[in-house]
Amino acid sequence: MSPSIVIAPDSFKGSLSAREVADAIAAGWRSVSPDDDLILVPQADGGEGTVDAIESAVPGSVRRSAGLVTGPDGRPTPGEWLQLPSGAAVVELASSSGLPLMHSPDPLGASTRGLGEVIRAALEAGATSLVIGLGGSASTDGGAGALAALGLRLTDDSGSVLPDGGGALAHLAHADRSALMAAPAGGVTLLSDVTAPLLGPTGAAAVFGPQKGATEHDVATLDAALARFALVLGGDPELPGAGAAGGTGFGLSAVWGATLESGADYLAVLSGLGAAVDGADVLILGEGRFDSQSLGGKVVGQLLQRAEERAVRPGVIAGQVTTTAVVNGEPVWTVSLVELAGSVEAAIAEPTPWLREAGAAAARHFAPTGP
């Protein structure tokens, strides 16, 4: 009986979708072991690639255009959402308000307004519920930009509407909800890969602000501004995941009662990964960088835990590997594209052939060794 191999990578951010990664690994595996039973189950954690993974998992889903929306630095960018047969809409923050869309970092001024414009388009088209992937944000505005696009009026003491960006929230005095669009009747689910609170040393500004260009002074400014936002808006800034996407988890939960879920767990259930892994001999995972953060709420960390629970042999293929993991008492087998290609530049320039080579290496490593 042929061994069953589940290939369940995340996307390689800014490079290849999870489906493209899975296809390349599978091609490499088949070049070594063509008779093995390969099951491809692309994954995501709420960040870039979430729409791709859900589209792959849900037959009959259709991409819809939201037209041009406001990018995180104010420049227009194409917006889109995924319509599911159930009537739900899937929206990915990274595609409209993500860090790679910035011309240059603007930690105090970057905004999630584009996310709100895409959500508005989905609701106006009749979406009955929302699933929102929160990873990859360029801003630390608590979701204020998105909420403003949905009708929330944020003003200072003089009654003037605040400009976009997390820094402006330091001057927030009032939040008028009278023109705010209602949340869809089917509810709003937020997919996140972090459990950070909104404020403090483990919050949105302190942990993720520097990745978006924030200096130490900027971090202090943003943390105080988010505290002001929380005071005016209400809600629970200590909610696990409130700090996701620069505090967007907080804003949408406080104003719309949105619920936060692990993006990795949600996609695993939706894609049927649990059932696939139950009958598998080997689980091959992948992501752009396998590091210490991977073992938190990221796809790879969540699925390594699943492999341990089911006594499945896991392997990790990544652009770069800077950490180790142990499952069932054994070090997890890893291979990096940088190692295969000889340099970061070569791996980034042509990831697909190196993923095929990595897939072939995995097939050789996990091949049965005896009768």
Side-chain angles (χ1 to χ4, degrees), residues 249-332:
F250 167 79
L252 292 174
S253 63
V255 172
W256 260 2
T259 58
L260 279 146
E261 293 190 21
S262 160
D265 287 349
Y266 182 92
L267 262 296
V269 171
L270 186 68
S271 63
L273 181 64
V277 173
D278 280 345
D281 299 292
V282 175
L283 174 62
I284 299 297
L285 308 173
E287 65 178 342
R289 183 181 176 86
F290 182 50
D291 57 21
S292 58
Q293 291 189 34
S294 304
L295 304 177
K298 304 285 186 181
V299 168
V300 169
Q302 297 288 87
L303 297 186
L304 285 175
Q305 182 177 345
R306 190 178 293 264
E308 183 153 40
E309 293 166 354
R310 289 163 170 75
V312 175
R313 299 171 69 198
V316 176
I317 294 172
Q320 292 180 280
V321 176
T322 62
T323 192
T324 58
V326 175
V327 169
N328 296 319
E330 296 289 333
V332 173

Side-chain angles (χ1 to χ4, degrees), residues 68 99 228 240 296 362:
L68 289 176
L99 190 57
R228 181 69 186 168

Side-chain angles (χ1 to χ4, degrees), residues 114-136:
L115 170 66
E117 291 169 350
V118 175
I119 292 171
R120 176 180 282 275
L123 292 178
E124 290 177 344
T128 56
S129 64
L130 285 168
V131 177
I132 304 173
L134 290 185

Side-chain angles (χ1 to χ4, degrees), residues 1-315:
M1 185 174 179
S2 299
S4 175
I5 317 299
V6 173
I7 300 175
D10 195 357
S11 64
F12 278 37
K13 304 295 187 282
S15 178
L16 296 174
S17 71
R19 167 56 65 178
E20 291 169 328
V21 174
D23 287 342
I25 293 171
W29 189 291
R30 290 191 180 103
S31 71
V32 174
S33 300
D35 295 329
D36 288 352
D37 179 20
L38 303 187
I39 303 169
L40 278 56
V41 195
Q43 297 295 298
D45 58 17
E48 181 183 327
T50 295
V51 162
D52 290 336
I54 294 179
E55 182 181 32
S56 179
V58 182
S61 55
V62 179
R63 288 184 186 249
R64 301 293 188 191
S65 172
L68 289 176
V69 299
T70 307
D73 59 4
R75 295 178 300 146
T77 191
E80 68 172 9
W81 54 283
L82 186 69
Q83 183 180 41
L84 303 187
S86 65
V90 183
V91 179
E92 182 180 300
L93 181 149
S95 69
S96 60
S97 305
L99 190 57
L101 298 174
M102 297 289 290
H103 186 266
S104 59
D106 185 6
L108 300 180
S111 165
T112 53
R113 181 172 289 273
L115 170 66
E117 291 169 350
V118 175
I119 292 171
R120 176 180 282 275
L123 292 178
E124 290 177 344
T128 56
S129 64
L130 285 168
V131 177
I132 304 173
L134 290 185
S137 170
S139 67
T140 311
D141 73 347
L147 291 168
L150 292 166
L152 184 67
R153 193 167 184 270
L154 301 171
T155 58
D156 61 18
D157 276 327
S158 69
S160 299
V161 174
L162 296 181
D164 284 349
L169 295 175
H171 306 291
L172 178 64
H174 306 286
D176 180 358
R177 307 186 189 201
S178 60
L180 180 69
M181 292 187 79
V188 181
T189 301
L190 308 177
L191 305 183
S192 174
D193 63 355
V194 303
T195 57
L198 181 66
L199 306 172
T202 59
V207 175
F208 307 108
Q211 300 171 11
K212 305 167 188 179
T215 64
E216 187 175 341
H217 181 265
D218 292 336
V219 167
T221 298
L222 288 166
D223 196 60
L226 290 173
R228 181 69 186 168
F229 190 48
L231 181 66
V232 173
L233 227 56
D236 181 9
E238 294 298 318
L239 181 72
T248 301
F250 167 79
L252 292 174
S253 63
V255 172
W256 260 2
T259 58
L260 279 146
E261 293 190 21
S262 160
D265 287 349
Y266 182 92
L267 262 296
V269 171
L270 186 68
S271 63
L273 181 64
V277 173
D278 280 345
D281 299 292
V282 175
L283 174 62
I284 299 297
L285 308 173
E287 65 178 342
R289 183 181 176 86
F290 182 50
D291 57 21
S292 58
Q293 291 189 34
S294 304
L295 304 177
K298 304 285 186 181
V299 168
V300 169
Q302 297 288 87
L303 297 186
L304 285 175
Q305 182 177 345
R306 190 178 293 264
E308 183 153 40
E309 293 166 354
R310 289 163 170 75
V312 175
R313 299 171 69 198

